Amino acid sequence: GSGKTTLIDIITLTHQQQKGEIIIDGTLSSEINQSSWRKQIGYVSQDTIIFDDTIANNITMWKDNLNDKETYNKIRDAAKKANILNFIESLEEGFDTIVGDRGILLSGGQKQRIFIARELYRNPNILILDEATSALDSESEKKIQQSIETLKGTITVIIIAHRLSTIKKVDNIYLLDKGKIIENGSYNDLKNDNNSKFSKIAELQLL
């Protein structure tokens, strides 16, 4: 109930604000083509959607010719950025591996990283991770953290998280409470401020 979902809806221009202005790169949101803007955004939630098909088709969503070398390199690059390439290339069939109904042959972390690769394949300018690691074990979360670090400096990544370990290396943290930003700063600055609410949350999570 802090307003995270509403904030994402505003960023994606799904909802119009009731007052004030949203400005994106100096342009009012009311002057931005919504369809064009949303095509620049990749979105990954904790609810992964994986199809009973090859890994390649799960990444490209059947949009490109998989026999084309440029397409293959693009798939491979997306998988590398999502920190799933080594796993895929360790499989006998590689990108042609059938993953089963709802990705039953994959772990939760592997499915999530293929989901991230799918969004990165679209080459977005912004990637939103909405509680993307909340249902994963620590090892899977670590691999996704590594993929986030790989993306640093290439695209804007917005991470929504209750689990603070997910956001330890981000540039800026904004703590929401009842629809308002109550604190913001780097992880270390907020954690080391004994008067901050963030530091108390970190203490509860043994960080």
Side-chain angles (χ1 to χ4, degrees):
S2 64
K4 299 186 299 297
T5 301
T6 300
L7 181 60
I8 292 303
D9 286 343
I10 288 175
I11 291 172
T12 58
L13 303 183
T14 303
H15 290 306
Q16 286 292 324
Q17 76 282 6
Q18 295 179 334
K19 54 185 176 181
E21 298 287 355
I22 300 172
I23 300 174
I24 301 172
D25 284 342
T27 303
L28 292 174
S29 60
S30 58
E31 299 174 1
I32 292 175
N33 181 290
Q34 293 185 4
S35 177
S36 174
W37 173 241
R38 289 170 189 158
K39 286 178 181 177
Q40 299 181 57
I41 299 173
Y43 179 84
V44 178
S45 69
Q46 63 181 348
D47 301 317
T48 53
I49 301 173
I50 299 294
F51 301 96
D52 186 6
D53 207 318
T54 65
I55 291 174
N57 280 332
N58 267 285
I59 292 175
T60 66
M61 296 296 284
W62 308 277
K63 290 180 180 177
D64 295 305
N65 179 10
L66 300 181
N67 294 320
D68 179 69
K69 185 176 180 180
E70 185 176 345
T71 297
Y72 174 78
N73 288 337
K74 187 178 176 184
I75 297 172
R76 195 174 182 279
D77 183 58
K80 183 177 181 180
K81 289 178 179 177
N83 198 23
I84 191 68
L85 180 61
N86 288 344
F87 164 74
I88 295 172
E89 293 189 333
S90 73
L91 301 171
E92 186 175 346
E93 299 295 327
F95 283 97
D96 294 325
T97 301
I98 302 290
V99 297
D101 185 32
R102 290 175 290 181
I104 194 171
L105 301 180
L106 302 171
S107 71
Q110 289 160 356
K111 287 190 284 188
Q112 193 69 293
R113 281 178 282 150
I114 288 174
F115 195 172
I116 292 173
R118 178 190 300 165
E119 293 303 295
L120 293 176
Y121 181 80
R122 297 174 45 241
N123 197 29
N125 289 320
I126 297 174
L127 180 65
I128 298 173
L129 302 179
D130 188 354
E131 296 286 3
T133 64
S134 62
L136 302 180
D137 58 75
S138 298
E139 184 62 28
S140 296
E141 181 194 23
K142 183 178 180 180
K143 290 183 182 300
I144 290 179
Q145 287 174 338
Q146 290 170 345
S147 71
I148 294 170
E149 290 174 36
T150 300
L151 297 172
K152 196 167 186 176
T154 60
I155 66 173
T156 298
V157 182
I158 299 173
I159 305 170
I160 298 174
H162 282 99
R163 191 186 292 180
L164 301 188
S165 55
T166 308
I167 56 173
K168 289 183 74 171
K169 295 186 178 181
V170 302
D171 295 315
N172 292 291
I173 293 172
Y174 296 88
L175 182 62
L176 297 175
D177 186 32
K178 298 178 182 178
K180 294 183 178 180
I181 297 173
I182 60 171
E183 294 172 0
N184 71 280
S186 70
Y187 181 90
N188 287 332
D189 286 346
L190 292 174
K191 184 178 181 294
N192 294 330
D193 181 355
N194 294 328
N195 295 318
S196 73
K197 185 172 182 177
F198 184 91
S199 68
K200 293 177 175 59
I201 297 172
E203 186 176 348
L204 287 172
Q205 295 189 18
L206 303 178
L207 294 173

